[in-house]
Every structure is written in C-alpha cells, then in structure tokens.
Amino acid sequence: MGCAPSITVSQSGVVYCRDSDESNSPKPSSFSQQQHVHITTGGGGGGGDISEALPGASTTTTVTVYHGRTDRRGTISIEAETQTSRSSVTMKGVASEVLFGPMKLTQPTMQIMLVFAKEDAQSDGFWWAADKGGYKCNIVRNPTDAIECFLEKQHDLVVIDNRNSKSFDALALCRSIRATKNSEHTVMVAVSKKSSGEKEEASVMPLLNAGFNRRYQENPHTSACLNELIQLELGEVRSQFKLKVANSLFAALETCSDAVEITGENNIVQYVNSTHEQLTGYSSEEVLGKESDLPRGDKNKAELMDTIFTQLRKGKVWEGMLHTKKKNGDSVPQTVRITPVIGGGGRVRHHVFTKRSPSLSSSGSLHNQVYSHEIQHLEKVTSDLSNGGPSLNRRQSVARIHSMTIEAPITKVINIINAAQENSPLTVVQALDRVLEILRSSELYNPQNTQVKEEDQMTNDLVGGLMTHGTYTGGRRRLSAELSLSKGPINQLTASPPTHLNQAPPEVLKILEQETTWKFNILELERVTAHRPLIYLGLKAFSRFNVCGFLGINETVLRNWLQVIEANYHSSNPYHNSTHAADVLQATAFFLGKERLKEAFEPADEVASLIAATVHDVDHPGKTNSFLCNAGSELAILYNDTAVLESHHSALAFQLTTREDRCNLFKELDRDDYRALRHTIIDMVLATEMNKHFEHLSKFVNSINKPTNREGDDSTSQASTTGGSTPDSSHITTPENRALIRRMLIKCADVCNPARPLDICITWAKRISQEYFNQTDEEKKRGLPVVMPVFDRTTCSVPKSQTSFVDYFIMDMFDAWDGFLDCSELIEQLNNNYKYWKGEEEKEQRVKKAAIDASKEISEENETEKS
C-alpha cells in the first residue's frame, strides 16, 4: 500500500505501470490521480528502469501516471510524448508514408484494442507484441467497456477473444461494434482455439457473417502475435485506410462540375456523379448496373465511334466532341474525355468518362453584373409606367410579366442568364443562348406556387375540373417533348379567289367582312348559317392565308374537309360545338395578322395554326377530362387517363382527313413535309389541355417575353441617341421559340371569350356554365365524383365563375400575350368585362344579403307574434 509505483518506458514510448504488490503481468493499472514524470536520457546512456532508451539520442519523455484505484472497465490508455533532438534510428509504430495512386498519404500509428475477459498468456502475447511493434494499444475486459472504448478511440484493429463463450459472446460483440458509426474501416480479428489434428477444422463463415475479417488460431508466443499484427498493418488495415481516404475522392467527384461515369471492363456502369444525373436526366438508379451506351446520341457518326473504340482498345485516352441523348430525347453536344484504367494483367479494367457541355468562359465581373442589370431593367420599366402615355396598357402588361408569381424555380436561373447577356461580349451571349436552349427541357418548368386559397371554392372547382384527371389533387403532368415545324412551303399553287364562298348568302358575306376585326360577331354568323359557321369562316380565313396554295390543293378539297370536320362537332353541346371552333379559328387568324407574328412565323406555321384551331375540339362530348376518367369511358381507357380529349381531337382529325382523298388536305405533301406539319398540329392541339396551362405560360414568359422586352428597351435607348432602331427579333424565329409561340397562340384563342365584346362574352359565359351544369347533373345521376360542385344549376353564381376564371387563368396569360403581340384592345375589353362581372357578383351578394336579412326579419316577427 505504501510503496510507490514503478514506471517502465519502453522503446516505443508505451508506458507500463505496476504497483509493487502486482504480479509480473504486463497489464498495467490505471489510476484516478495524475503524476507527471519527466525523464531525460543522454546519448548512449541508459540506466534504471529506462533500459530500452534509444542509443545515440537525447530524449525527454513526459509520462502521465494515474494514481488510485483501477477503474471499472480496466482500460489501459497510456499516452507518452517523446521529444528527440536527434536520432538516426527509425522507430516502429510511427506514422508511415503510403502511396495511393497519385496520392501521397501518411498512415498514422495503428491503434489496437484487445478484448479479453481475463488475463492469460494469449492476451499477454498480443500486449507485448503491440509494445514491440510500437502500436498504440488498449485492453478491456467486457463488451460494454469495449464499445465505449471503441467509440472514443475508433481503433484500426480490434482483437476479440472467441475461445470461451462463457465470458461473453464474441460474435454478438463484433456485430455490436459493426453497428456503430465509422466501424466499416476497422479490421476485426477473432482469436480461436487451436484445432487438434483429430478434429475437422471449424468453418470461418459464422465469423465472417458476424463481421470479422480474420481468424487467429491461439498462439501466445510474442513473435507469432507480432507477425500477425505486422501482416494486418500492411495488409487489411492499410487497405481499409486507403478505402477511408477514397471517401474524399468520392466527395470530390460529387462536387465536380463535370459529369463523371465509370464503367467496368464488361462496359457495365459502376458509378455516376450528381452532375451526370443533372446533365443527362438519368438518375443513378436508372444507369448503375446497366450496360453503358457510349454514343447515346443519333448524331454521332459511325466512323467516329470506330475511331474511339480503336483508341480505347489500345489503352489510350480519347477526347473530343460527342452528341449525348438526354432522357427527354434532346441531343446535346458535349466535350467527352474517355480514360482507360489499366488493372491486373495489364488489361483495361475500367473506363472513366468525363463529360462537359460547352460553357461560357469565366469572367470575374460577370457575376457582379448580373443582378445590377436586372435591377436596372426593372427600374426602366417602372420609369416608363410613371410617364403614362397612349401605350400605358401595354406597359402595365410588361410590368406584370416581370412580377408574375407563377414562375417556376428555373425562372430565377433564366433571369440571371438573361441579365448576364446584357452588355456582354458576343461569345458570352452566344454561349448563354446555348445554356438557355438546354434549360428549355420540359422537366424544368413545373411551377410550385400555383396553389389556390382553400376558401375560394369557385377557383378550386375550376382548377379541379379543368386541370386534373379525375378528382383534384393539385398535381401536374410534365410537358411532353417540344416539337416544331421547320419545313418551308412546298411548290405552291397560285392563289385563286374563293369561288365557293362567293356562292354564300349575302347576309353571310356581309358578316364575314368583319372577319379580320376583334369585334367580329361569331354568334350572328351562327344564326344566319343555321349553326354551321365553320365552313364559311374557314373558307374565308384559309383563303386569306393561301392555305390551299401552300398545300397544293384546290378549294373543293378544303370545302369538303371543312364539311367533314364541322359534321363531327356536336351541335347539341351548349359550348363545345362548331361555333366555338369557328370562334377559335377567327381569333387565331386575327392573331396571325399581327405584325409580330408575321416576323416570327413561316407560312407553314400559319397553315398549321389554322388547321389546329379548326380541329382542336372535334367530337367533344361536352364533358371534361375529369368526368371521362372518373366514368371510365372508352376514351379515357384508350388514352390512359392522360390528355384524353386533346389526344382524341387530334387523332380523330387526322383519321377524318386522311380517310378519303376528296377531303385529304395533305395528299400533295411528301412524307417529310406531312410528318412535320402533323407533329406541329398535334403539338398545338395538345397544348390546349388546361393541365399544362402554367407550364406553357411559364416557358413563354421566360423564353419569349423577357428577352423580347429587353430587346425593346435596348432599341428604345438606341433610338434616343441614333434617331431610330428596330428590336432584334431573331430569337423568336428559332424552331423551339416558334413552338412556344404557337402553343400560346392557340391557348389564347381557345379561351378568348372573356376578352370578347361584352354581349358576346356574356353569351359564352352562360353557355359554358350550362355545359358544366349538365355535367354536374350527370355526375350526380351516375354516382360519380362531382369535380365542380359549385356548378350546380340551382346555386351557381355565373359572375363569380367568370371572375375566378379570369383571375386564375386568363389575366396573366393575356398580359404575357399582349407583352409579346401588342394587342391592347383585347386587354382593354378584358378589363371592362371583368369590371362588369365584378359588379354583377356584388349585386348577387347584395341580393343574397337582403334575402337573408328579410328572412331573419320574418323569423323575428313570427317569434314576436307567438310570444
């Protein structure tokens, strides 16, 4: 009890502490109190307890000794600091340099934990081996202390006694350690009993399944234990150290701006980084474990691919431009570098693909200029608004475009890119144009902030009835791949006067004289033609744009076609009948007559737009997509509950058109021209699906409106200094942007009733309400979900339905259309009509309030009389 502890410092710096009454076991005790002992040895000297000091070195060693009782877990945790002024001797156990590919690493001294329930020759053998090898070592006696110690030290090597299951379950302890964080890179060794020669050796599978890496058969000799530790250090432990370092490489790959793909020698994809997913649209789950399709693009020439494979077979790096096909079908050029990785046997075992899309050169001032340009532009718009003037309505539309709240998340990116293009060098502008083209993939334009207030039941029902398939869930379907018509006109026939139209009754011809104006009265034409206005209006509008000449057909074919199409509209529908089709056709022709569309469109665009407007609702059943899906109609089943009516309209239109030669508009077109025109017409008809409304609007605003407005501002500033300028309209003539304009054209024409003259607007509002009333009646009769409950003929407010529809769907869209096309008379009429409906809505509310008040009065009088 009264004896001082003896202190021994080994060559490696490991300290062993023993009380005088302890046995000669190498297991030291730990103590609760500290004593710092400073021991200095001279060169070549040595004496006392420090018999193993380094020769030829002056060393100062600080040893921390803990006095008191041994703690409950008996963990030996001994740390020593050794300061050597000079030494020519390389010690074991110090950090060593390791090469991992081109990386130069420093592997720290191996940390070992021994888990033995009791002290014996085997535990002593490992302990002395750790000392001799210069490793840091801890020893514990039970599983609880083992887990605590491991969590604190995170050992490189854990040796667990598996010879006696009575003390603790070695397999369970191994599984527990493996379940802790950061244990995947720890090497686990089970010490097993030495098998006798008579018995068959036990299988190692239970150990491996529990998480052990290796089995050590009992051998307490220090030399055998040391050999095992050295092999483990230079083998499994070093391999795990390299794997741990590999995590930093994966972190670097994940943050790399280039797309990275790694394949095995059998061309199976083993890894792709996050940039690869963003660039191609394919998630890692979709490509990992699948065979890599190197070209992934139909624009890569066969000769080029042969050259690449030849180069790779030689083990040489190939770098160049390849077209990659994205998930959405777009083919984009990329700078690709393919690096073969040589493995075992001198063979190519992996290929590393790095892909980069052509990007703009970095500019230090570019980032700083982006936001200032955007602010300057908005300030200019604000200044214009404060000046008033004859074009105030248009300026208000422009201002609202920049403040629209329906923008998708990608809008922020587009705003920055558009601002960055201002006052930038031509090369930067061109590069950013390419970026914008890439960003136009449909998945990027899903607005996230178009939720409707719960208390606005009318708007909720409109959204549920018009924008969803079945009951309203708030979700939206993604836009299909963009299509555009780039073909020019075929050999045209010389335009001839519309001979069939000349045979029309005089009252019809008189009404058609106003066909080019927005105030055109389609309802009057419906009356004088006995509900067959489409034939006459079609002959007039198609003649004005020389459709027959473009298609190479005579007017008789056009008349026959119009008769067939009109016959397949249901005259029994209050709203979706041939009069509605004629109304949309007239609006389309009106828009096509605007100078802005003449600049943007080719003749083929005009022809496709007129045909699409004519057929866009053919064979409409007078019910919404939601009704058809809920009812399980044949059309809903045929088109998988997706754009049911729009798909049917376009499919039937082409069936009717091509069924007979006498009415086939496309019979003189060659295959390529027909397919291009067909794709464009279908794309326009599908754009009328209200489920895609905000996607189309968001793309139009960001790709057409904002660039166009900036060009207008630039030309205005140039005109003030040079005397005149015309905005550059080249960006709106690209096939992609013409497709966006065509979609917005037919969408605005399809729902233009709220902007028509008031008497016409009121009639259309009553007709669409009647059609919705009929649907609600049918839903109740058949026990189907009522998708628009407010359209109950006994309680519905038509004025409220109109104001809700205009607020949610129409106002922003027509502001965007006016910002592009400059159709201020529509905006003025739309605003006037809106004021009218608001007034009617307020009247209804006052009447309801008066009725409620009167009812209360009567009730109170009755109560008074009774009392």
Side-chain angles (χ1 to χ4, degrees):
M1 290 290 295
C3 299
S6 63
I7 303 173
T8 302
V9 182
S10 71
Q11 175 181 346
S12 65
V14 177
V15 180
Y16 308 94
C17 303
R18 288 189 295 230
D19 287 335
S20 58
D21 59 349
E22 280 189 322
S23 66
N24 291 328
S25 166
K27 181 189 81 67
S29 301
S30 55
F31 301 85
S32 59
Q33 297 179 356
Q34 298 184 15
Q35 174 184 350
H36 296 281
V37 182
H38 298 275
I39 306 168
T40 304
T41 62
D49 290 330
I50 315 175
S51 58
E52 299 296 325
L54 294 175
S58 176
T59 304
T60 300
T61 302
T62 302
V63 179
T64 303
V65 182
Y66 300 86
H67 295 276
R69 295 180 58 191
T70 305
D71 66 7
R72 67 177 178 82
R73 74 183 182 189
T75 301
I76 298 176
S77 183
I78 303 171
E79 299 176 0
E81 299 176 7
T82 302
Q83 300 172 345
T84 304
S85 60
R86 67 184 187 275
S87 177
S88 59
V89 179
T90 302
M91 292 176 57
K92 295 179 182 179
V94 299
S96 57
E97 290 185 353
V98 177
L99 293 179
F100 182 34
M103 296 182 70
K104 189 175 183 180
L105 311 173
T106 300
Q107 183 177 357
T109 302
M110 183 169 69
Q111 294 192 72
I112 306 172
M113 180 172 70
L114 306 177
V115 186
F116 286 81
K118 60 182 180 178
E119 181 182 325
D120 62 5
Q122 185 63 70
S123 65
D124 290 351
F126 273 116
W127 176 264
W128 289 116
D131 166 53
K132 196 169 184 179
Y135 306 120
K136 297 179 181 179
C137 187
N138 299 98
I139 184 168
V140 295
R141 299 304 186 197
N142 60 71
T144 302
D145 295 335
I147 293 175
E148 290 181 7
C149 187
F150 178 78
L151 291 174
E152 179 184 352
K153 298 289 186 179
Q154 296 292 316
H155 301 85
D156 304 302
L157 173 64
V158 176
V159 181
I160 302 177
D161 187 5
N162 187 41
R163 296 169 298 168
N164 190 351
S165 61
K166 294 181 180 179
S167 302
F168 56 80
D169 188 341
L171 275 65
L173 175 58
C174 179
R175 283 191 288 265
S176 298
I177 293 176
R178 285 296 186 202
T180 62
K181 188 178 180 181
N182 299 325
S183 66
E184 60 176 318
H185 299 299
T186 297
V187 177
M188 309 283 287
V189 176
V191 178
S192 302
K193 289 181 179 180
K194 183 182 295 186
S195 60
S196 61
E198 300 175 357
K199 293 183 179 180
E200 186 177 349
E201 187 169 324
S203 171
V204 297
M205 289 308 300
L207 299 176
L208 297 177
N209 292 334
F212 283 104
N213 302 92
R214 193 179 178 94
R215 181 182 66 181
Y216 177 80
Q217 287 196 342
E218 184 178 18
N219 188 341
H221 292 293
T222 302
S223 57
C225 294
L226 179 59
N227 287 337
E228 181 71 11
L229 294 181
I230 292 174
Q231 291 179 74
L232 287 168
E233 179 193 20
L234 301 180
E236 282 94 331
V237 172
R238 179 160 294 181
S239 296
Q240 291 297 331
F241 171 69
K242 292 180 179 180
L243 287 176
K244 192 186 301 184
V245 173
N247 289 333
S248 64
L249 300 179
F250 282 114
L253 287 173
E254 287 300 316
T255 57
C256 179
S257 59
D258 292 347
V260 179
E261 175 183 318
I262 301 176
T263 63
E265 58 182 322
N266 53 0
N267 205 31
I268 299 299
V269 179
Q270 299 174 329
Y271 171 81
V272 292
N273 67 347
S274 56
T275 307
H276 183 280
E277 298 181 27
Q278 297 167 10
L279 198 63
T280 63
Y282 290 96
S283 65
S284 57
E285 292 79 9
E286 292 176 295
V287 295
L288 292 181
K290 307 290 179 60
E291 186 173 356
S292 176
D293 183 12
L294 175 62
R296 278 218 187 106
D298 50 12
K299 295 185 179 181
N300 300 319
K301 296 182 179 179
E303 306 82 43
L304 175 61
M305 304 312 301
D306 291 341
T307 302
I308 294 174
F309 288 124
T310 301
Q311 189 88 340
L312 296 179
R313 278 194 292 268
K314 296 178 181 178
K316 295 182 179 181
V317 176
W318 182 90
E319 185 171 2
M321 185 70 71
L322 284 176
H323 282 80
T324 299
K325 191 171 185 179
K326 299 175 65 176
K327 186 178 180 179
N328 63 7
D330 291 346
S331 183
V332 295
Q334 294 178 337
T335 301
V336 180
R337 180 183 177 89
I338 310 175
T339 305
V341 180
I342 307 298
R347 294 176 53 189
V348 175
R349 301 294 183 179
H350 303 275
H351 287 100
V352 178
F353 298 75
T354 54
K355 308 173 185 179
R356 176 184 302 173
S357 292
S359 59
L360 57 98
S361 302
S362 59
S363 171
S365 60
L366 179 60
H367 181 75
N368 297 329
Q369 293 172 357
V370 166
Y371 296 99
S372 62
H373 288 163
E374 186 71 12
I375 292 171
Q376 290 172 7
H377 176 73
L378 292 177
E379 287 176 348
K380 182 172 182 60
V381 172
T382 305
S383 174
D384 289 343
L385 285 171
S386 64
N387 294 331
S391 58
L392 181 60
N393 284 335
R394 175 168 168 75
R395 289 172 181 164
Q396 289 173 339
S397 295
V398 172
R400 283 195 292 264
I401 287 167
H402 283 272
S403 61
M404 281 185 182
T405 58
I406 62 166
E407 296 176 333
I410 191 60
T411 301
K412 297 178 181 179
V413 177
I414 293 177
N415 286 344
I416 294 173
I417 294 174
N418 285 332
Q421 288 182 305
E422 297 181 8
N423 302 324
S424 296
L426 179 61
T427 54
V428 174
V429 173
Q430 292 173 342
L432 291 178
D433 282 338
R434 178 59 185 150
V435 173
L436 288 172
E437 182 181 345
I438 295 171
L439 291 177
R440 289 192 185 103
S441 69
S442 58
E443 290 82 2
L444 302 175
Y445 290 87
N446 287 311
Q448 298 175 343
N449 58 341
T450 55
Q451 291 81 8
V452 184
K453 295 180 180 179
E454 292 181 3
E455 62 269 18
D456 190 349
Q457 184 64 36
M458 177 63 71
T459 304
N460 264 304
D461 285 352
L462 284 169
V463 173
L466 297 176
M467 296 184 63
T468 61
H469 308 297
T471 54
Y472 178 45
T473 61
R476 280 182 183 78
R477 201 169 54 78
R478 289 189 171 182
L479 201 60
S480 59
E482 295 176 18
L483 297 171
S484 62
L485 179 65
S486 57
K487 292 283 183 182
I490 63 171
N491 295 328
Q492 300 184 15
L493 296 177
T494 304
S496 57
T499 55
H500 291 286
L501 190 59
N502 293 336
Q503 301 170 11
E507 58 269 32
V508 171
L509 296 176
K510 183 173 180 59
I511 295 173
L512 289 177
E513 291 176 359
Q514 302 297 317
E515 176 259 339
T516 59
T517 68
W518 187 248
K519 294 181 179 180
F520 176 75
N521 195 333
I522 190 65
L523 301 177
E524 189 64 19
L525 183 63
E526 176 192 60
R527 183 186 64 80
V528 300
T529 59
H531 295 269
R532 310 296 286 178
L534 187 57
I535 295 176
Y536 298 100
L537 184 65
L539 288 172
K540 180 70 182 296
F542 278 53
S543 174
R544 179 152 66 97
F545 290 93
N546 194 25
V547 173
C548 291
F550 182 88
L551 297 174
I553 59 174
N554 58 49
E555 193 187 46
T556 301
V557 175
L558 174 61
R559 184 197 61 183
N560 294 338
W561 179 77
L562 288 168
Q563 289 175 337
V564 170
I565 296 299
E566 185 158 36
N568 280 274
Y569 275 94
H570 299 187
S571 59
S572 58
N573 289 341
Y575 183 88
H576 289 99
N577 48 42
S578 66
T579 304
H580 167 66
D583 185 51
V584 175
L585 174 60
Q586 191 274 331
T588 300
F590 175 82
F591 294 145
L592 290 174
K594 290 286 186 178
E595 194 62 34
R596 191 63 167 157
L597 282 187
K598 291 180 180 178
E599 295 174 0
F601 278 0
E602 297 175 358
D605 296 299
E606 297 174 345
V607 171
S609 299
L610 294 170
I611 295 174
T614 305
V615 305
H616 83 282
D617 271 335
V618 66
D619 197 38
H620 197 293
K623 303 293 189 292
T624 64
N625 278 331
S626 301
F627 178 93
L628 298 179
C629 294
N630 289 332
S633 70
E634 291 184 3
L635 289 179
I637 294 172
L638 177 63
Y639 295 110
N640 302 311
D641 292 350
T642 303
V644 176
L645 286 173
E646 293 73 23
S647 299
H648 175 61
H649 301 324
S650 54
L652 181 62
F654 279 93
Q655 290 173 359
L656 295 173
T657 302
T658 58
R659 183 175 298 169
E660 295 183 56
D661 198 61
R662 58 183 289 273
C663 61
N664 188 351
L665 299 181
F666 313 119
K667 62 182 180 180
E668 299 299 332
L669 298 179
D670 62 33
R671 178 176 297 179
D672 291 339
D673 288 332
Y674 168 69
R675 286 183 60 82
L677 193 63
R678 168 177 159 80
H679 280 310
T680 304
I681 294 169
I682 293 173
D683 185 61
M684 292 186 70
V685 174
L686 292 178
T688 62
E689 183 194 9
M690 293 302 289
N691 192 39
K692 297 179 179 181
H693 175 80
F694 290 104
E695 293 182 24
H696 291 310
L697 178 55
S698 180
K699 294 185 76 171
F700 183 83
V701 167
N702 291 291
S703 299
I704 305 297
N705 277 126
K706 292 184 177 180
T708 301
N709 293 334
R710 288 191 178 88
E711 289 167 5
D713 291 339
D714 292 342
S715 66
T716 302
S717 61
Q718 291 175 15
S720 64
T721 57
T722 63
S725 180
T726 302
D728 180 19
S729 60
S730 59
H731 87 281
I732 64 174
T733 60
T734 64
E736 295 81 5
N737 283 343
R738 294 207 321 274
L740 296 179
I741 296 169
R742 287 195 303 265
R743 293 169 190 163
M744 189 57 60
L745 162 65
I746 196 168
K747 283 180 62 61
C748 289
D750 188 27
V751 292
C752 68
N753 309 140
R756 289 292 192 180
L758 182 59
D759 57 335
I760 300 176
C761 171
I762 293 172
T763 301
W764 283 122
K766 292 178 178 178
R767 289 187 178 188
I768 190 62
S769 297
Q770 182 61 46
E771 197 163 286
Y772 289 160
F773 294 159
N774 294 343
Q775 175 171 310
T776 300
D777 292 343
E778 184 72 14
E779 287 167 335
K780 291 179 178 179
K781 179 180 178 181
R782 297 173 60 176
L784 299 174
V786 179
V787 295
M788 294 186 287
V790 295
F791 282 98
D792 186 312
R793 65 178 70 252
T794 61
T795 59
C796 182
S797 167
V798 174
K800 174 59 178 173
S801 71
Q802 286 299 297
T803 56
S804 296
F805 185 69
V806 171
D807 280 334
Y808 196 75
F809 293 105
I810 300 301
M811 195 63 77
D812 283 343
M813 182 171 70
F814 272 77
D815 279 337
W817 190 235
D818 175 48
F820 167 71
L821 198 64
D822 189 11
C823 45
S824 55
E825 60 181 305
L826 274 72
I827 301 300
E828 183 178 357
Q829 186 66 61
L830 176 63
N831 290 330
N832 292 338
N833 293 348
Y834 184 81
K835 292 176 184 177
Y836 167 80
W837 290 118
K838 268 295 184 185
E840 293 299 304
E841 184 182 346
E842 291 169 0
K843 286 180 184 178
E844 285 187 350
Q845 291 173 352
R846 287 195 295 268
V847 170
K848 285 182 180 179
K849 187 176 183 302
I852 293 172
D853 292 342
S855 177
K856 286 182 179 179
E857 256 181 57
I858 294 173
S859 298
E860 290 173 358
E861 289 175 0
N862 292 336
E863 290 294 330
T864 304
E865 290 176 0
K866 288 180 181 179
S867 61

